[in-house]
Amino acid sequence: MSYYELAVERIKNIDAKQYIGISNKRYEEVRSRGEYEADARLIAEYYRRVGVYLKFISKEVTSIYVGMDLLLGYKMADNEWDELLVTAPNYKEIDFYLMKLLSMHYLRWCNLLDSGNNIALQFPDIYEPMIKLFEIGGGRISTHHHELVGGFGAFSRSIDAKRGHKKPFDISDSALATIIEEIELAEAYLEEYKGGNLTEKKCIRCGNTLLIHSNITEYSYHWYKIKCESKDCFDNNFS
């Protein structure tokens, strides 16, 4: 199969039902906290890959909306949106604009790969993190003012070439599953702690002890941090 044919198969196999009406739902109705943490990992890796690409083509910044081929001077035809719905009829009822747009850019990029474009061939998997994000449920994501927002927090709507200096994020299925599992463990641990059970839990990553730190702000807002005793390991705030 060509890059484009494989891309079409992936897009057509995305379960559109999970995205219908998603913009009218609260974050917690769509994904768990752990799933949103995994989503954030995928988005961060996409930003990093775009940053590497921007450095390569000597551009400082781009928008989350801009396709990688457009940065090389390629233009979009007037019927691109209509063609997307012909190619992926499962997208017709989806009210998730960014998902549709990035999927369309992904297909265009794969066409460039099939044409043997020298620059594209050096970045064949640049869209992989976002397509994987959509395949696993993607969460409720939108752009508001200058940010890409969701249950994971926010990313800048602009992607800077400096992102390319970061180390690659592990987006393997096992790494994403671990993120979800450790958040679920921490949430359960916190509930037990609040209920008076002080039995310690062990970190999934390294096996050392997870420590719970609590604090009350001046406005009587109680928040908790769950942190692994190992340096640079699990460290997350829970309110």
Side-chain angles (χ1 to χ4, degrees):
M1 275 190 174
S2 67
Y3 282 103
Y4 181 80
E5 289 171 334
L6 287 170
V8 168
E9 286 302 308
R10 292 184 71 179
I11 294 298
K12 288 172 66 175
N13 286 327
I14 289 175
D15 181 7
K17 293 179 181 178
Q18 60 194 340
Y19 295 106
I20 296 174
I22 198 172
S23 61
N24 299 318
K25 296 179 180 179
R26 297 188 303 273
Y27 294 129
E28 58 270 21
E29 294 180 85
V30 179
R31 307 281 273 167
S32 69
R33 180 181 178 127
E35 288 171 325
Y36 273 123
E37 289 281 344
D39 293 348
R41 170 76 66 88
L42 288 164
I43 295 170
E45 175 58 13
Y46 176 66
Y47 274 48
R48 187 199 68 81
R49 294 185 187 193
V50 173
V52 174
Y53 174 70
L54 290 174
K55 288 194 299 179
F56 183 82
I57 62 173
S58 300
K59 289 188 179 293
E60 293 184 0
V61 67
T62 189
S63 166
I64 186 68
Y65 295 117
V66 176
M68 299 302 105
D69 65 315
L70 300 182
L71 294 175
L72 298 179
Y74 291 89
K75 306 296 182 182
M76 291 178 63
D78 293 337
N79 66 341
E80 291 275 1
W81 283 100
D82 294 333
E83 286 298 316
L84 174 66
L85 299 183
V86 172
T87 301
N90 53 320
Y91 273 37
K92 287 183 179 178
E93 302 300 320
I94 295 176
D95 58 352
F96 186 2
Y97 172 74
L98 188 61
M99 176 181 174
K100 289 181 177 180
L101 182 64
L102 288 175
S103 296
M104 184 167 62
H105 288 321
Y106 168 55
L107 293 173
R108 287 169 57 85
W109 190 248
C110 288
N111 267 327
L112 270 190
L113 290 168
D114 287 332
S115 73
N117 182 278
N118 288 331
I119 294 179
L121 287 171
Q122 295 184 64
F123 301 92
D125 299 322
I126 195 167
Y127 282 103
E128 178 63 22
M130 295 306 290
I131 300 306
K132 192 166 189 175
L133 175 71
F134 303 146
E135 289 175 327
I136 66 173
R140 181 174 175 268
I141 302 172
S142 61
T143 48
H144 180 67
H145 295 307
H146 297 292
E147 293 183 319
L148 178 70
V149 297
F152 46 75
F155 286 81
S156 171
R157 196 164 65 182
S158 297
I159 306 176
D160 196 289
K162 293 178 182 176
R163 287 271 183 176
H165 296 303
K166 295 182 177 293
K167 294 181 179 179
F169 295 92
D170 186 351
I171 60 169
S172 65
D173 291 345
S174 60
L176 299 178
T178 296
I179 290 173
I180 296 171
E181 185 181 359
E182 64 188 9
I183 291 293
E184 291 175 346
L185 173 68
E187 288 177 322
Y189 184 19
L190 184 56
E191 285 303 307
E192 293 177 10
Y193 178 86
K194 289 179 178 178
N197 184 350
L198 304 182
T199 304
E200 292 182 343
K201 300 287 185 182
K202 300 297 182 180
C203 177
I204 292 174
R205 297 186 193 182
C206 69
N208 284 332
T209 302
L210 290 175
L211 308 172
I212 295 182
H213 303 282
S214 63
N215 187 46
I216 300 178
T217 69
E218 58 181 307
Y219 302 105
S220 298
Y221 179 73
H222 207 153
W223 61 263
Y224 299 86
K225 171 176 279 194
I226 300 181
K227 182 177 175 61
C228 178
E229 63 181 358
S230 298
K231 184 179 179 181
D232 299 323
C233 199
F234 186 80
D235 187 348
N236 214 306
N237 287 321
F238 292 82
S239 58

